[in-house]
Amino acid sequence: MPARTPLDANAILAATEEILRRHGPDKATVVDVARALGVSHAAVYKHFPSKQALREAVTRRWLDRNRDALAVIAADSAVPPAQRLRTWLHAVLAGKQAKIREDPELFAAYGILAAAHSRVATDHVADLLGQLTAIIADGAADGSLRTDDAEATARVVFNATAKFNHLAHAAEWQNPGIGAELDKVCSLLLDGLHAPTSP
């Protein structure tokens, strides 16, 4: 059977997303992906050397879809850093809520990689920490946030808000009032950084 689309990495990743949505991460196979593309599984392996590599690539692409929206918030110098920090933390939670609600199978695939300490998961956290560090550095530069080490402070803020970003708490993200709870944590953190608390 001839391939329905040119066989490149993007076509394979798109097909893999659909297979994961249909079968879930435990049952989806490279053979399923190849069948959907009308090629042999060997053709898929020419682009991705293993099922793990394919799963990591598709999960990375899926995670990266929210990265740009968060980066825009982090870099918006027209918004005061304290307000930007609060908005960014809420956007992280909203993105996670949407992913678990709208794409539970791909979210489960991410959970498997995170549990295995995959580079995809560690890179995702590093990217989030980089954005958070940039916000806090802007606050340190204009005097609105007090810190001698923006990177270390970003890690403290990220850890302090783990309930709203860590997979271990995913079951709680759809609870009523979770956004209000995050807002209270944000206010406490910003008070500690000697920042204005008004949103």
Side-chain angles (χ1 to χ4, degrees), residues 24 30 63 68 95 118-119 187:
V30 175
L63 287 169
D68 291 345
S118 163
R119 183 64 184 261
S187 293

Side-chain angles (χ1 to χ4, degrees), residues 14 32 99 138:
D32 293 328
K99 283 185 178 301
D138 284 352

Side-chain angles (χ1 to χ4, degrees), residues 56-78:
E56 288 183 346
V58 77
T59 304
R60 187 183 298 276
R61 186 174 87 149
W62 179 73
L63 287 169
D64 284 352
R65 289 190 188 131
N66 277 17
R67 181 183 57 197
D68 291 345
L70 290 170
V72 167
I73 295 169
D76 188 356
S77 59

Side-chain angles (χ1 to χ4, degrees), residues 7 64 66 92 96 100 109 116 120 124 139 141 144-145 150 154 156 166 179 185:
L7 190 64
D64 284 352
N66 277 17
V92 170
K96 303 264 184 180
I100 199 170
V120 173
H124 174 62
S144 63
L145 299 178
V156 169
H166 194 283
V185 173

Side-chain angles (χ1 to χ4, degrees), residues 97 172-181:
Q97 289 172 318
E172 301 172 69
W173 294 341
Q174 303 303 330
N175 288 349
I178 191 79
E181 187 177 346

